[in-house]
Amino acid sequence: MKIFVINGPSLNLLGIREPDVYGREDYAALLRFIREAAAEAGVSVETFQSNHEGTLVDAIHSAYGRFDAIVINPAAYTHTSVAILDALRAVALPAVEVHLTDISAREPFRRVSYAGMACERTIAGRGFEGYREAIRYLAEKYNETEPKGGTER
Ligand code: DQA
């Protein structure tokens, strides 16, 4: 199973960006964490980050036929982008939305998630762990590389 992990604007500045809100670990550390989580779950993973809405839409489109599922943190576009919602609906891959912070407990404008409307689950407020949970959830639900039920060796 192949999972595409897509990160939106300013997540590339993790560690520098509002460390009291987003933590002190940088984006490279997040990528390492995601790779480890994928290895643990027995799935392959590719990551992508962009600060541009249209580029994120293109990345979601590019997942069609190449990936089995999407994990997405659309960052600020979560709360504004019907284009990202429509792109997720267009490719219709199983998707999980992740946020490092608890978007329901911050400013009111963060309470709406357009992307979340196309996602099976939202995991928010668990920091990097949220990505592990999302990958694990998708692997458990959709990974068919391991035989289900009894195994014959
Ligand atoms: C975020 C939450 C968003 O509201 C914010 O705009 C981000 C990051 C998170 O991971 O907590 O950029 O998606």
Side-chain angles (χ1 to χ4, degrees):
M1 179 186 195
K2 284 185 78 179
I3 298 180
F4 199 19
V5 180
I6 300 172
N7 284 300
S10 300
L11 291 167
N12 56 312
L13 290 187
L14 281 177
I16 298 166
R17 168 192 195 198
E18 299 181 88
D20 292 342
V21 177
Y22 295 108
R24 283 172 171 74
E25 290 196 273
D26 65 9
Y27 186 63
L30 176 60
L31 294 183
R32 284 195 297 277
F33 185 93
I34 289 168
R35 280 188 216 111
E36 280 169 26
E40 265 169 40
V43 299
S44 70
V45 76
E46 205 171 291
T47 56
F48 181 79
Q49 190 276 334
S50 174
N51 298 320
H52 304 278
E53 185 175 17
T55 307
L56 292 165
V57 168
D58 289 341
I60 294 164
H61 291 178
S62 80
Y64 185 78
R66 285 203 309 136
F67 290 93
D68 304 298
I70 292 174
V71 172
I72 186 162
N73 182 348
Y77 291 131
T78 305
H79 319 295
T80 62
S81 181
V82 177
I84 288 175
L85 165 62
D86 284 352
L88 288 167
R89 284 190 174 152
V91 299
L93 291 167
V96 175
E97 174 190 25
V98 172
H99 298 284
L100 296 165
T101 62
D102 181 1
I103 53 172
S104 68
R106 297 181 61 190
E107 303 95 322
F109 64 81
R110 294 187 204 273
R111 287 188 199 139
V112 172
S113 169
Y114 290 101
M117 295 173 197
C119 292
E120 288 188 20
R121 285 190 62 193
T122 295
I123 301 165
R126 303 194 23 83
F128 285 9
E129 270 308 316
Y131 289 84
R132 196 207 307 273
E133 262 185 54
I135 289 167
R136 192 179 285 161
Y137 168 82
L138 290 165
E140 280 171 9
K141 189 157 175 198
Y142 297 104
N143 195 358
E144 283 171 8
T145 56
E146 290 296 315
K148 293 204 169 113
T151 49
E152 278 183 45
R153 281 173 208 271

